[in-house]
Amino acid sequence: MAANCLPPAQVTESGRPVLLPDEIESYLLSSVDLECEELPNFPILKSGLLSLTTHRLLWLPESIAAAASPSAIPLAAITHIFSPKKSLRAMWSSPRVRFQVSVSSDGRVIGLGSSSGAGSRSVVVTLVVRGKGDIDAFLAKFWESWRGRAWESQSAVSSSGSGPVSNSQPGPSSSGLYSSEGTVRMVGVSGILRKEQEMWESTDKSLQDAFQDLNALMSKAKEMVMLAEKMRQKLLSGSNSQTGASNDEEMGSKQEMQDWMLSIGIISPVTKESAGALYHQQLARQLADFVKIPLEKSGGMINLIDIYCLFNRARGTELISPEDLLQACSLWEKFDVPVMLRKFDSGVRVIQNKSHSDEEVFARIKTLVTKPDALRIGISASDAAMTLGIAPAMAKEHLLTAESRGILCRDVSPDGFRFYINLFYEFDPNDVYLVKDYGVYATWIKAVSAS
């Protein structure tokens, strides 16, 4: 099994890898095999998706029905990357990348944070790319991620943030215009030239300080996003384990904090540079994970335009086009994700949960429209929006759908649309003049008579 040799990798409901707090996805390859002839307990990993990150090599099955489970190879366990061989045979065969991995005495790959104890050895793992992909670009990213050793940079960042600042104390300039002891400023033409030179040097120093502050701000922003992701994961685990012990107010504050942290941004957004030909597939999976919380807040359905704004806000500078969003949503039919794209008869496109039931919505609308006041003056989209807890535009689409099902009737006036309960089903086709003393029709008679 994979757990006996390779560390397991976690994935989301849509199949996207769950990254570590400070881990960034760098490159993706499809239809990749992982082979190791030196380890008898090495799992059979065939035709999977390979995700290269700053910390790990992640192998993910391309289908949920696959027998192999998601596995990972920490870059910290890799001791050497072999250069690809250039030959005529290699031109006609699948590209291969070979690298050495440290394993323990019992044949398990050494994970992050663990040391190679006594009896450890190195084995060669072969990466066979059977799909389409730029193997040279992947190899360059592979070398860059391995040499960057990002898994060791967290402690360096924290220690550098608390270090002393040596250039913050003001003092006499030693750039050549003034000595370290200071001299009397000269007058005349040379004084003007020196003053101008001093001004240029002061401007240059200010620009350098500004860029240093900008770099520090960018690094701090990255740390804040990582911290927010850690807190979000902690809140999710805490809400699952302590649902009975917390009251409604605490749960509300946790949900509010979770929504706020989600709006900070996505740590590793899918880009065309990293995903390549798999861009829209991976974008669809990441979008399916992202829309969970917005759907819960909007009652299980949200407008596609609102998701476009929220998703681009979370992606920061890695913006996507409306066409990319629509194509990503259309790919949900091929994946086993809990959300779907829906198009109303009016042409409005929305995202909704697969568990969303129109019958439940129609039942709530029917309860609203059969109230005495609604029987007399009808209801508007705003009235339905307050009852359903959704936006008025979405409520209007539900009302129009209910009208097409024969539940409601519509009245168009200068004041807008008003919807009423459909009373035509209450009439007896054999005797249209029969006045019923029961049902919705009788309730409508009483409401109209009282007014």
Side-chain angles (χ1 to χ4, degrees):
M1 296 178 62
N4 295 331
C5 179
L6 299 178
Q10 296 181 352
V11 295
T12 61
E13 294 182 2
S14 63
R16 285 282 300 164
V18 177
L19 302 179
L20 300 176
D22 53 349
E23 189 175 17
I24 304 296
E25 198 173 43
S26 302
Y27 207 86
L28 292 172
L29 286 175
S30 61
S31 301
V32 177
D33 301 346
L34 284 181
E35 302 174 352
C36 182
E37 299 178 354
E38 302 179 39
L39 292 177
N41 60 338
F42 197 84
I44 302 176
L45 304 178
K46 299 290 185 181
S47 298
L49 176 67
L50 187 76
S51 175
L52 171 65
T53 70
T54 54
H55 290 60
R56 299 174 293 174
L57 275 174
L58 303 175
W59 186 93
L60 310 174
E62 293 189 349
S63 62
I64 299 179
S69 59
S71 305
I73 299 179
L75 297 186
I78 297 177
T79 58
H80 182 69
I81 302 176
F82 295 96
S83 299
K85 296 180 180 180
K86 301 294 183 180
S87 62
L88 292 177
R89 181 181 179 183
M91 295 177 60
W92 304 104
S93 61
S94 300
R96 297 172 181 263
V97 178
R98 300 167 62 246
F99 53 91
Q100 283 184 340
V101 177
S102 295
V103 296
S104 58
S105 56
D106 56 353
R108 291 183 301 175
V109 175
I110 299 174
L112 289 174
S114 59
S115 58
S116 56
S120 62
R121 57 192 177 95
S122 295
V123 296
V124 177
V125 178
T126 304
L127 187 152
V128 184
V129 183
R130 303 192 185 278
K132 296 181 180 179
D134 191 347
I135 191 64
D136 294 331
F138 167 77
L139 195 58
K141 287 286 186 181
F142 193 13
W143 276 98
E144 180 182 351
S145 300
W146 182 59
R147 289 172 175 170
R149 307 185 72 83
W151 58 90
E152 298 178 353
S153 62
Q154 188 65 23
S155 58
V157 171
S158 59
S159 60
S160 63
S162 58
V165 182
S166 59
N167 296 330
S168 60
Q169 298 294 332
S173 173
S174 58
S175 59
L177 294 177
Y178 298 97
S179 64
S180 58
E181 295 83 6
T183 57
V184 180
R185 174 175 295 185
M186 298 181 61
V187 295
V189 176
S190 77
I192 295 175
L193 292 177
R194 290 188 177 183
K195 185 175 181 180
E196 186 176 356
Q197 182 68 19
E198 180 185 359
M199 182 182 65
W200 280 108
E201 289 194 356
S202 177
T203 303
D204 183 65
K205 185 176 182 301
S206 299
L207 288 175
Q208 291 180 1
D209 294 341
F211 280 110
Q212 288 177 0
D213 294 341
L214 181 60
N215 293 332
L217 177 62
M218 292 177 65
S219 64
K220 291 298 181 182
K222 181 180 178 181
E223 293 177 19
M224 289 300 297
V225 172
M226 295 176 183
L227 178 62
E229 182 67 18
K230 287 181 181 179
M231 294 178 65
R232 190 173 74 90
Q233 295 294 338
K234 187 174 181 180
L235 283 177
L236 287 176
S237 60
S239 60
N240 293 335
S241 60
Q242 300 178 358
T243 52
S246 58
N247 53 30
D248 296 340
E249 184 177 356
E250 291 178 352
M251 291 299 295
S253 62
K254 285 184 178 181
Q255 183 69 27
E256 184 179 357
M257 182 177 294
Q258 183 178 336
D259 298 344
W260 174 78
M261 286 186 295
L262 181 65
S263 66
I264 290 180
I266 300 174
I267 294 179
S268 182
V270 175
T271 61
K272 292 183 178 179
E273 180 182 2
S274 63
L278 303 174
Y279 172 66
H280 288 100
Q281 296 182 17
Q282 295 302 312
L283 184 66
R285 296 181 183 273
Q286 190 173 67
L287 180 61
D289 293 331
F290 175 81
V291 298
K292 290 180 182 178
I293 294 179
L295 282 177
E296 291 177 1
K297 292 181 60 179
S298 58
M301 180 181 294
I302 190 170
N303 197 317
L304 194 62
I305 299 176
D306 296 337
I307 282 294
Y308 176 74
C309 298
L310 292 174
F311 193 52
N312 267 336
R313 175 187 176 187
R315 288 176 62 90
T317 58
E318 302 292 343
L319 303 180
I320 64 172
S321 64
E323 290 78 11
D324 289 338
L325 180 71
L326 189 59
Q327 188 170 352
C329 293
S330 62
L331 291 176
W332 283 341
E333 299 178 357
K334 301 180 180 180
F335 305 137
D336 186 15
V337 294
V339 293
M340 59 177 290
L341 179 66
R342 177 180 178 181
K343 183 178 180 180
F344 285 99
D345 295 336
S346 61
V348 176
R349 300 175 189 264
V350 298
I351 295 175
Q352 70 174 36
N353 290 320
K354 287 184 177 179
S355 59
H356 181 82
S357 174
D358 283 346
E359 301 302 326
E360 180 181 352
V361 175
F362 295 156
R364 297 175 64 183
I365 291 177
K366 191 172 182 179
T367 302
L368 173 65
V369 81
T370 52
K371 292 182 178 180
D373 292 340
L375 288 173
R376 289 188 292 106
I377 62 175
I379 62 172
S380 64
S382 300
D383 299 330
M386 295 177 62
T387 301
L388 300 176
I390 59 178
M394 294 293 97
K396 181 180 178 181
E397 297 299 329
H398 283 303
L399 293 175
L400 292 174
T401 306
E403 180 196 11
S404 64
R405 299 283 184 90
I407 302 174
L408 303 178
C409 291
R410 181 190 357 161
D411 178 43
V412 182
S413 66
D415 297 333
F417 288 178
R418 304 292 298 185
F419 292 86
Y420 298 84
I421 188 68
N422 186 7
L423 295 176
F424 289 99
Y425 291 115
E426 297 292 319
F427 291 101
D428 187 356
N430 298 322
D431 189 359
V432 294
Y433 298 102
L434 176 65
V435 179
K436 295 182 179 180
D437 56 353
Y438 59 90
V440 180
Y441 182 75
T443 308
W444 176 73
I445 291 292
K446 294 178 181 178
V448 174
S449 302
S451 62

